[in-house]
Amino acid sequence: MDRIFGILIKQANNVIARDADKFAQTLDLTGMQISIIDYISRYENDQNIFQKNIENEFNIRRASATSALKLMEKRDLLVRVPMQNDARLKRLILTPKARRLSEQIHTYFSNTETKISEAVGVENVAAVKQGLKNISGIFED
Amino acid sequence: MDRIFGILIKQANNVIARDADKFAQTLDLTGMQISIIDYISRYENDQNIFQKNIENEFNIRRASATSALKLMEKRDLLVRVPMQNDARLKRLILTPKARRLSEQIHTYFSNTETKISEAVGVENVAAVKQGLKNISGIFED
């Protein structure tokens, strides 16, 4: 019987998340933490990063983002610094410790991306990525 | 900047899982429970279903499967019946209660599948599904 989309996506997500957790453990971090470090380090040159960006990027609820970021602050991976013109807005800035780790983390994600692209088939990458974006779009209210 | 695969898959997985949870709540069930009911009801005519099949289908660990199935037994959604020739092997059989719900559940998943296929574009469905299967393959040990 044909496998349903929901299951195929869940399975792919599980294996990717587990592999990321396994790598993260070697740095004494979690998969979510390395993902957030990688996200900030990729975007911080172009823009200020706020909690809202993390919530959108990882599609996580506000409460989950708050607790993840607070824990990262406690573990000296980032600081949350109020903006001068609006103290309610806090920029997320990586610490030197996170910055040191970010190169290895980036290499890991980059290798993973290559492995996935090869598995999908280079000629299908664009279609698969666009398909996934469209899926995320349809369930949003 | 190009979005990475891991994130796109995670986002798609999140929106699908949330939508399933939302529907499941209307039946006083969880997303995992309706997924398991749907899986068993789709396959039970062709084969015996064991816990191992659930672990493989949903890519979940043994302990998670055990606790999910025990809870479903407690909630009168399925029974775990030892095989006559090997009592360690327990077949999973839906209760009348789950069987009554399974039609609505199947309709929900079938509608979701249609929505996803339309979002992906009918001409891309095969490539995207195959791509997802390949991704699940590469990280397995």
Side-chain angles (χ1 to χ4, degrees):
Chain A
M1 197 186 293
D2 201 21
R3 307 296 277 282
I4 64 174
F5 258 119
I7 299 289
L8 289 170
I9 291 170
K10 189 185 173 64
Q11 288 172 335
N13 185 55
N14 281 357
V15 295
I16 292 170
R18 263 187 220 159
D19 195 70
D21 274 325
K22 216 157 66 175
F23 168 75
Q25 274 174 23
T26 68
L27 305 176
D28 200 24
L29 299 173
T30 67
M32 187 46 125
Q33 288 169 342
I34 63 169
S35 301
I36 291 175
I37 291 171
D38 192 58
Y39 174 77
I40 298 176
S41 72
R42 286 189 299 132
Y43 286 94
E44 65 183 351
N45 289 346
D46 304 326
Q47 57 169 103
N48 289 324
I49 316 272
F50 302 101
Q51 174 167 333
K52 198 80 206 144
N53 299 109
I54 304 289
E55 292 167 17
N56 293 340
E57 176 72 5
F58 298 101
N59 206 335
I60 54 177
R61 292 176 201 282
R62 192 171 166 195
S64 313
T66 303
S67 71
L69 294 172
K70 280 196 174 159
L71 189 60
M72 289 179 76
E73 196 166 25
K74 211 168 146 188
R75 296 223 35 211
D76 190 34
L77 296 167
L78 54 78
V79 289
R80 299 181 303 153
V81 186
M83 296 289 279
Q84 294 198 340
N85 57 355
D86 185 350
R88 289 167 305 178
L89 276 178
K90 290 189 177 122
R91 266 190 293 190
L92 304 176
I93 299 181
L94 295 179
T95 60
K97 176 183 169 188
R99 220 166 281 283
R100 272 198 310 278
L101 295 169
S102 70
E103 206 168 312
Q104 288 176 70
I105 292 170
H106 185 70
T107 303
Y108 166 76
F109 280 118
S110 168
N111 289 342
T112 299
E113 188 73 4
T114 305
K115 275 204 267 184
I116 294 177
S117 297
E118 284 169 4
V120 166
V122 180
E123 70 283 10
N124 297 322
V125 165
V128 177
K129 282 191 169 181
Q130 190 57 50
L132 290 166
K133 281 180 207 170
N134 295 349
I135 292 169
S136 293
I138 48 173
F139 290 103
E140 279 166 19
D141 304 321
Chain B
M1 193 185 296
D2 200 21
R3 308 296 276 286
I4 64 174
F5 258 118
I7 301 290
L8 290 170
I9 291 170
K10 189 185 172 63
Q11 288 173 334
N13 185 54
N14 281 356
V15 295
I16 292 170
R18 264 188 219 158
D19 194 71
D21 274 326
K22 216 157 64 176
F23 168 74
Q25 274 174 25
T26 67
L27 305 177
D28 200 25
L29 299 173
T30 68
M32 187 45 127
Q33 289 169 343
I34 62 168
S35 302
I36 291 175
I37 291 171
D38 192 57
Y39 174 78
I40 298 176
S41 72
R42 284 189 301 130
Y43 286 94
E44 66 182 353
N45 289 347
D46 304 325
Q47 56 170 103
N48 289 324
I49 316 272
F50 302 101
Q51 174 167 335
K52 198 80 204 143
N53 298 111
I54 303 291
E55 292 168 18
N56 292 340
E57 176 73 5
F58 298 100
N59 206 336
I60 54 175
R61 291 177 202 280
R62 193 172 164 192
S64 313
T66 302
S67 72
L69 294 172
K70 279 194 175 158
L71 189 60
M72 289 179 75
E73 196 166 25
K74 212 169 145 187
R75 297 220 37 213
D76 190 32
L77 296 167
L78 54 78
V79 289
R80 299 182 302 153
V81 186
M83 296 288 279
Q84 293 199 340
N85 57 354
D86 184 350
R88 289 167 306 178
L89 276 178
K90 290 186 178 127
R91 267 191 291 189
L92 305 176
I93 299 181
L94 295 179
T95 60
K97 176 182 170 189
R99 218 166 282 281
R100 271 198 308 278
L101 295 168
S102 70
E103 204 169 316
Q104 288 176 71
I105 293 170
H106 184 70
T107 302
Y108 165 77
F109 280 118
S110 168
N111 288 344
T112 299
E113 188 73 5
T114 304
K115 274 204 267 182
I116 295 178
S117 296
E118 285 169 3
V120 165
V122 179
E123 70 284 11
N124 297 321
V125 165
V128 177
K129 282 192 168 180
Q130 189 58 49
L132 291 166
K133 281 181 206 171
N134 295 348
I135 291 169
S136 293
I138 50 173
F139 290 103
E140 279 168 16
D141 302 320

